[in-house]
């Protein structure tokens, strides 16, 4: 909502020195969101005057039409002689009054005006358009042609109200009454403690039986309908400058007098109106629901197919308006047309004015379904004051009579559905308890009366809500009004008292440790949307029966391309990796931890929980049972260089081993023993895929996979070559961890290192050899590390050599060479027994 400060001052006597920024600060304190304060006419200096075109000479020989004009500007140029000006516009004629800017003036945008030679003539100034003066769009995109009554030489800056301040306010859905000057003025008056001149306080004649006939078939959709008729309008009448300028400052384009007046009153009072050409109406006006599939052409010339929920305005011929949204093309106000032979001007002379109140939900659904948002629908959606309809219709009639010479017919139609004012019972100290500070009954009553409420009672208040505040429905709404008017900044800051013994849960602690561990290893956290399209499963080469394909679909997804909740973190992470790689970041290591959603065998049906009490444990359990399983996963993706090249070395690329190591790091944080085996699954390369297992309830359970992605997956998803990834079930990993992680106890005795190189078949997994070595070495083994893998003629075809470093240490003594050698031999012996390993060189 754009609010010109000059217009706002008509309803509130703001202090003379208050600027737009001062008013904005007050409104922000009152809870409104003022986005900007626009300075109209900033940097504009005259002379800028009214001139009259005396002569026009057409200049030929140029690529576009050029006119050399002489313009009478009175004594504004200091000589009284006509001003010579070159102009390219075509929408004015000899005798027209125009706006002239003279040399020495500066237009908005620091555009200085001086005499200059152009098109073979010297131009002493410029004939101005509205856009050049920063007035906005007037629909002509041409020179401003003023009404003939304005005198030559008049200061155009004041005439056109070019200098002003406009507050651009973002109106939240609960503040629909502020989508009008009346509503904003009410807030300004309250903020400054000043009286309000309510523009809706008009003398309105009582309804009678000889007004235009109206029939409302759906009182639930339209509970109030006012109709007034004005006849004898002058079809040549134009909107005065003050009206068009207010519309432009408020962000609306002037169209014609009748339409401009209805728009002006809507901005002033917040009540949308519509004016019908009475000569085009066929019989009585009706309000009903549309027939399913009924077609209707709106003012924008588009034929629309209606739904049975849509509310329409009709006459005997059918729909003539989409209630609360847009009028119909067949009854719109006709533009004035001059007969070239007789000079007679024809146009709309009689209008029927509609001021109605429609159901906000119905209007909102219609506007969204048809994707037809209008100024009227925006207001009806947020709530319009139903009692303002009669005043708005009267204000429209008064302006049309004043500006177009019309006559208001005595007939007044007003249909009102039965209803009563809304009341709310509230304890006088309820705002005190909500805010945590003491206001007192007098303050509560005073603030509620300031927003238009009638308040009765002492300790228990009965509050009658004003008609323009449909958002006030319960005591907390009233408490919020008191608190905001007293000032949010005055609320005390009180830190919550944390009960002892309530820190992070074990699950939360693990989540933090995992994030810190991966970040410390050089990974960057990426947060992706928890939605995916099912086509990604084909890109990941998952089998048709894979459990990951069983998704939970959303009834109302944000994007039709991603209608399901994710069952894996990889699509989002790989998408982030692809975007970053396409933008020039080729060395990437990303991670994410988050929930995935697993559909149950039978879809659950959620119960509707009560709002008037705390749900019981059984109701909460029933709701939880209807939800899909939501285990927490962790995943990493890598591409490019893992270690950068430099003076320190050649660096190395990221590979499958880095993905496996990320899984090992998470297992350390969880205190779980992770088993890594060669595996084969979906998106991973079958020869470079590790299966990640933990022991749960005595059974080895697969909790994830790590390794290099399959080349076909890389190609299908547009990923860098040799991209690696890891994903595992973090909740299962935590369940396998058992006791909290304990710091290792370091022995003070020296370590004994023994290296062994074992030759095994190329098909034997290194993890199997490692497991055998650990089991055979016994409790003296402190650590074991694979440091070399060799293949070649020296070890034979189909063989490979695995070299391990074994570290032995005792907690209570220094080991002898015999003890460490015996432990090594035992390890080698068991490895030979289990895997067929032979000591190299033996």
């Amino acid at each position: 909502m754009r609010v010109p400060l000059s217009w706002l001052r008509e309803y509130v006597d703001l202090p003379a020195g208050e600027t737009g920024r001062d008013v904005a600060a007050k409104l922000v304190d009152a809870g409104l969101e003022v986005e900007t304060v626009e300075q109209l006419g900033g940097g504009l200096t005259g002379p800028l005057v009214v001139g009259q075109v005396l002569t026009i000479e057409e200049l030929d020989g140029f690529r576009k039409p050029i006119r050399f004009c002489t313009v009478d500007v009175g004594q504004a140029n200091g000589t009284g002689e006509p001003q010579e000006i070159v102009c390219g516009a075509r929408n004015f004629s000899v005798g027209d009054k125009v706006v002239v800017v003279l040399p020495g003036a500066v237009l908005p945008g620091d555009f200085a005006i001086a005499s200059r030679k152009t098109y073979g003539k010297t131009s002493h100034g410029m004939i101005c358009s509205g856009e050049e003066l920063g007035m906005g769009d007037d629909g002509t995109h041409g020179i401003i042609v003023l009404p003939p009554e304005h005198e030559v030489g008049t200061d155009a800056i004041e005439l056109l109200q070019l200098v002003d301040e406009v507050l651009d306010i973002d109106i939240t859905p609960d503040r629909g009454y502020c989508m009008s000057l009346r509503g904003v003025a009410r807030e300004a008056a309250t903020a400054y403690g000043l009286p309000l001149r309510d523009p809706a306080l008009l003398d309105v004649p009582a309804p009678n039986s000889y007004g235009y006939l109206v029939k409302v078939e759906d009182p639930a959709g339209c509970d109030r309908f006012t109709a007034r008729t004005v006849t004898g309008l002058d079809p040549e009448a134009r909107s005065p400058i003050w009206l068009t300028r207010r519309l432009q400052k408020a962000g609306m384009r002037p169209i014609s007098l009748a339409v401009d007046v209805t728009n002006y009153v809507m901005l002033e009072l917040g009540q949308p109106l519509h004016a019908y050409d009475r000569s085009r109406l066929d019989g009585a006006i009706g309000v009903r629901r549309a027939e399913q599939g009924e077609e209707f052409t709106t003012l924008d010339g588009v034929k629309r197919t209606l739904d049975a929920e849509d509310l329409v305005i009709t006459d005997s011929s059918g729909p003539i308006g989409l209630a609360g949204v847009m009028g119909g093309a067949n009854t719109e106000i006709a533009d004035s047309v001059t007969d070239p032979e007789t000079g007679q001007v024809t146009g709309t002379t009689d209008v029927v004015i509609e001021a109605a109140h429609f159901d906000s939900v119905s209007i909102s659904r219609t506007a969204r379904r048809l994707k037809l948002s209008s100024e009227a629908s925006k207001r009806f959606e947020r709530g319009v004051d139903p009692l303002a309809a009669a005043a708005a219709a009267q204000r429209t009639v008064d302006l049309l009579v004043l500006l177009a010479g019309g006559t208001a017919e005595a007939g007044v139609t007003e249909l009102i559905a039965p209803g009563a004012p809304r009341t709310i019972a509230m304890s006088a100290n309820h705002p005190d308890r909500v805010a945590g500070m003491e206001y007192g009954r007098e303050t509560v009553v005073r603030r509620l009366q300031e927003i238009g409420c009638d308040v009765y009672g002492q300790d228990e208040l009965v509050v009658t809500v004003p008609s323009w505040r449909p958002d006030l429905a319960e005591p907390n709404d009233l408490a919020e009004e008191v608190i905001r008017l007293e000032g949010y900044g005055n609320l005390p800051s009180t830190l919550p008292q944390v009960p002892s013994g309530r820190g992070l849960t074990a699950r939360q602690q693990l989540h933090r440790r995992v994030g810190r561990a991966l970040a410390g290893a050089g990974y960057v956290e990426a947060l992706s949307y928890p939605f995916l399209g099912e086509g990604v499963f084909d890109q990941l080469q998952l089998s048709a029966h894979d459990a990951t394909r069983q998704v939970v679909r959303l009834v109302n997804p944000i994007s039709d391309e991603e209608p399901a909740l994710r069952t894996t973190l990889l699509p989002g992470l790989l998408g982030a990796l692809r975007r970053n790689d396409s933008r020039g970041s080729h060395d990437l290591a990303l991670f994410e931890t988050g929930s995935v959603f697993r559909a149950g065998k039978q879809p659950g049906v959620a119960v509707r929980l009560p709002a008037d009490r705390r749900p019981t444990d059984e109701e909460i359990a029933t709701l939880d049972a209807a939800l899909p399983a939501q285990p927490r996963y962790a995943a990493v993706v890598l591409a490019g260089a893992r270690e950068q090249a430099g003076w320190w070395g050649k660096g190395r690329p990221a590979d499958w081993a880095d993905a496996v190591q990320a899984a090992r790091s998470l297992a350390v944080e969880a205190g779980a023993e992770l088993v890594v085996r060669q595996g084969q699954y979906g998106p991973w390369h079958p020869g470079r895929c590790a299966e990640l297992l933990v022991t749960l309830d005595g059974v080895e359970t697969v909790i994830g996979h790590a390794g290099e992605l399959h080349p076909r997956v890389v190609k299908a998803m547009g990923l860098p070559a040799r991209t690696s990834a890891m994903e595992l079930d973090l909740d299962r990993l935590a369940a396998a961890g058992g006791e909290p992680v304990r710091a290792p106890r370091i022995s003070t005795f020296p370590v004994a290192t023994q290296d062994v190189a074992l030759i095994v078949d190329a098909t034997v997994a290194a993890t199997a050899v490692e497991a055998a070595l650990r089991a055979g070495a016994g409790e003296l083994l402190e650590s074991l590390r694979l440091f070399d893998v060799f293949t070649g003629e020296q070890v034979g075809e189909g063989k490979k050599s695995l070299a391990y470093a074994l570290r032995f240490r005792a907690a209570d003594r220094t080991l002898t060479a015999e003890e460490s050698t015996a432990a090594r031999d035992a390890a080698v012996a068991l490895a030979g027994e289990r895997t067929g390993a032979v000591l190299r060189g033996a």
Side-chain angles (χ1 to χ4, degrees):
M1 177 70 188
R2 290 172 55 86
V3 179
L5 190 60
S6 59
W7 194 354
L8 185 64
R9 288 183 182 275
E10 286 199 3
Y11 312 120
V12 185
D13 290 326
L14 298 173
E18 289 292 281
T19 66
R21 295 191 179 277
D22 296 332
V23 176
K26 285 283 190 178
L27 294 178
V28 169
D29 288 341
L32 294 181
E33 299 180 15
V34 181
E35 293 190 337
T36 60
V37 178
E38 184 179 348
Q39 304 289 331
L40 299 184
L44 174 64
T45 58
L48 187 71
V49 298
V50 175
Q52 185 171 22
V53 180
L54 301 177
T55 64
I56 298 176
E57 177 186 351
E58 301 289 343
L59 302 181
D60 299 326
F62 301 101
R63 289 183 297 177
K64 62 179 182 179
I66 297 297
R67 311 168 97 186
F68 181 65
C69 311
T70 59
V71 185
D72 179 11
V73 295
Q75 297 298 319
N77 58 4
T79 65
E81 296 295 324
Q83 200 80 1
E84 297 179 338
I85 299 174
V86 175
C87 183
R90 314 291 297 175
N91 68 314
F92 64 96
S93 305
V94 172
D96 283 344
K97 298 289 181 66
V98 294
V99 178
V100 179
V101 57
L102 300 177
V106 179
L107 296 185
D110 198 24
F111 180 32
I113 303 299
S115 299
R116 65 190 183 95
K117 189 169 184 179
T118 179
Y119 297 103
K121 301 284 187 178
T122 300
S123 181
H124 300 282
M126 187 169 70
I127 302 176
C128 298
S129 68
E131 293 178 345
E132 290 166 337
L133 297 178
M135 295 173 56
D137 181 17
D138 62 358
T140 65
H141 300 287
I143 293 303
I144 301 171
V145 178
L146 299 172
E149 63 266 19
H150 297 292
E151 294 185 6
V152 169
T154 302
D155 183 7
I157 295 179
E158 182 177 352
L159 175 66
L160 299 177
Q161 304 172 22
L162 297 179
V163 179
D164 202 351
E165 293 180 277
V166 178
L167 283 64
D168 192 349
I169 305 175
D170 184 14
I171 306 299
T172 53
D174 61 328
R175 296 291 184 87
Y177 67 98
C178 284
M179 294 195 75
S180 66
L181 266 295
R182 180 195 186 200
V184 176
R186 186 181 302 278
E187 290 297 317
T190 303
Y192 280 94
L194 298 171
L196 169 70
R197 287 189 291 273
D198 191 345
L201 296 180
L202 301 175
D203 291 331
V204 179
N208 49 54
S209 59
Y210 43 93
Y212 199 93
L213 185 60
V214 176
K215 298 178 181 179
V216 177
E217 299 179 14
D218 191 342
C222 176
D223 59 3
R224 186 178 294 261
F225 197 108
T226 300
R228 301 289 299 276
T229 304
V230 180
T231 60
L233 299 178
D234 180 3
E236 291 187 276
R238 297 172 55 186
S239 300
I241 291 176
W242 64 266
L243 192 149
T244 59
R245 286 298 294 133
R246 286 188 171 179
L247 290 178
Q248 288 175 322
K249 292 176 184 179
M252 302 189 75
R253 180 171 62 86
I255 298 174
S256 64
L257 178 59
V259 176
D260 291 348
V261 167
T262 58
N263 285 336
Y264 178 85
V265 175
M266 177 184 68
L267 291 173
E268 184 179 51
L269 301 182
Q271 169 67 52
L273 302 111
H274 191 72
Y276 301 96
D277 187 332
R278 192 170 74 166
S279 66
R280 297 186 177 188
L281 289 175
D282 183 7
I285 293 176
V287 183
R288 63 169 172 82
R289 297 288 174 176
E291 298 176 4
Q292 186 67 38
E294 189 172 13
E295 292 186 338
F296 169 65
T297 303
T298 48
L299 277 173
D300 55 3
V302 178
K303 180 178 287 187
R304 305 181 187 275
T305 302
L306 305 182
D307 187 87
E309 287 190 353
D310 297 333
L311 202 62
V312 293
I313 311 298
T314 64
D315 64 3
S316 299
S317 64
I320 59 173
L322 200 54
V325 180
M326 186 175 286
N330 53 344
T331 58
E332 70 174 316
I333 302 299
D335 294 331
S336 59
V337 178
T338 303
D339 190 315
E341 296 182 358
T342 64
Q344 183 178 1
V345 179
T346 59
T348 298
T349 58
D350 302 339
V351 298
V352 176
I353 299 161
E354 165 209 310
H357 184 262
F358 302 110
D359 175 56
S360 60
V361 174
S362 176
I363 301 305
S364 177
R365 288 177 176 172
T366 297
R368 280 162 173 73
R369 188 181 60 79
L370 296 177
K371 298 180 180 179
L372 188 61
S373 179
S374 64
E375 292 293 332
S377 68
K378 291 176 185 177
R379 286 165 173 79
F380 279 121
E381 288 172 6
R382 290 164 172 80
V384 169
D385 181 5
L387 301 186
Q394 182 63 44
R395 177 70 164 145
T396 305
V397 169
D398 292 344
L399 288 173
L400 288 177
V401 170
L402 174 67
L403 302 177
T407 301
E409 288 194 351
V412 178
T413 302
E414 188 169 22
L415 303 182
I416 304 175
R422 289 177 294 114
T423 60
I424 302 173
M426 180 185 74
S427 299
N429 65 346
H430 183 69
D432 299 1
R433 290 186 281 114
V434 172
M437 63 181 297
E438 185 175 349
Y439 292 119
R441 180 188 177 279
E442 291 185 2
T443 299
V444 171
V445 172
R446 175 172 56 84
R447 288 303 190 183
L448 292 179
Q449 289 174 342
E450 285 178 353
I451 65 172
C453 296
D454 292 329
V455 185
Y456 305 95
Q458 292 299 318
D459 294 338
E460 293 294 326
L461 303 179
V462 177
V463 181
T464 302
V465 176
S467 57
W468 58 84
R469 292 301 301 272
D471 58 302
L472 302 180
E474 58 180 40
N476 284 339
D477 298 329
L478 299 178
E480 182 183 0
E481 291 299 297
V482 174
I483 294 168
R484 77 174 179 88
L485 293 178
E486 284 295 304
Y488 292 121
N490 296 325
L491 292 176
S493 298
T494 305
L495 293 176
Q497 298 295 324
V498 180
S500 60
R502 292 191 183 180
L504 297 177
T505 65
R507 192 169 188 257
Q508 291 170 332
Q509 290 174 349
L510 175 61
H511 184 225
R512 290 195 177 186
R513 291 201 306 272
V514 164
R516 284 195 294 264
L518 292 175
Y523 291 87
V524 176
E525 186 171 16
L527 301 178
S528 57
Y529 286 114
F531 313 111
L532 51 74
E534 296 178 62
V536 75
F537 297 135
D538 294 330
Q539 294 179 328
L540 293 176
Q541 296 195 352
L542 297 178
S543 66
H545 303 290
D546 195 295
T548 306
R549 287 182 176 269
Q550 306 304 314
V551 297
V552 178
R553 293 178 181 83
L554 301 174
V555 175
N556 187 21
I558 294 176
S559 170
D560 292 337
E561 296 180 356
E562 295 180 332
L565 293 173
R566 68 186 179 191
T567 54
T568 169
L569 301 180
L570 289 181
L573 267 183
L574 293 174
L577 184 140
R578 179 177 60 249
R579 284 192 298 273
N580 281 276
D581 180 74
S582 67
R583 294 169 184 173
S585 298
H586 304 301
D587 303 325
L588 297 163
L590 309 177
F591 83 93
E592 182 175 8
T593 58
S595 297
V596 299
F597 305 86
R598 299 291 190 182
K601 295 181 180 179
Q602 295 293 334
V605 178
V607 297
R608 185 181 294 275
L609 297 180
D612 58 343
R613 58 175 174 81
R614 183 189 183 279
T616 64
D617 294 341
E618 292 77 12
E619 289 170 333
I620 296 175
T622 302
L623 179 63
D624 288 340
L627 298 176
Q630 301 175 45
R632 178 164 291 179
Y633 273 39
V636 304
V637 293
L638 305 98
R642 185 62 174 141
E643 295 179 3
Q644 296 290 338
W647 57 265
W648 53 85
K650 297 181 180 180
R652 69 174 183 85
D655 61 17
W656 63 269
D658 294 302
V660 174
Q661 183 57 38
R664 294 185 188 276
S665 300
L666 300 190
V668 170
E669 296 299 328
E673 184 177 347
L674 186 70
V675 178
V676 180
R677 293 178 184 166
Q678 184 175 2
Q680 183 172 345
Y681 178 69
W684 281 276
H685 192 296
R688 301 181 183 125
C689 175
E691 193 175 61
L692 310 176
L693 306 96
V694 295
T695 301
L696 292 172
D697 299 327
V699 179
E700 283 193 345
T701 304
V702 177
I703 64 167
H705 294 84
E708 183 181 316
L709 296 182
H710 198 288
R712 285 199 289 267
V713 174
V714 170
K715 181 179 180 181
M717 302 190 74
L719 303 172
R722 310 299 293 269
T723 297
S724 298
M726 180 278 294
E727 183 177 37
L728 57 75
D729 188 330
L730 202 54
D731 286 344
R732 288 191 177 184
L733 183 67
E739 295 296 326
V741 179
R742 296 184 181 275
R745 182 174 181 180
I746 307 299
S747 173
T748 59
F749 295 94
V751 66
T753 302
Q754 296 276 1
D755 294 344
V756 295
L758 303 177
I759 297 176
V760 296
D761 290 339
T763 57
V764 175
T767 54
V769 178
E770 180 180 330
L773 290 173
R774 288 185 181 277
E779 61 182 15
L780 293 179
L781 181 67
E782 183 179 79
S783 66
L784 181 147
R785 179 174 61 88
L786 175 67
F787 66 85
D788 185 55
V789 179
F790 176 76
T791 57
E793 297 179 359
Q794 293 89 333
V795 297
E797 185 177 354
K799 301 288 185 179
K800 62 182 177 182
S801 172
L802 304 176
Y804 292 90
L806 291 78
R807 291 167 56 92
F808 298 96
R809 195 193 315 252
D812 56 351
R813 67 187 188 282
T814 299
L815 293 178
T816 64
E818 291 77 11
E819 286 178 306
S820 61
T821 301
R824 180 204 65 187
D825 292 342
V828 172
L830 188 58
E833 180 182 335
R834 291 185 178 180
T835 65
V838 177
L839 196 62
R840 186 174 175 182

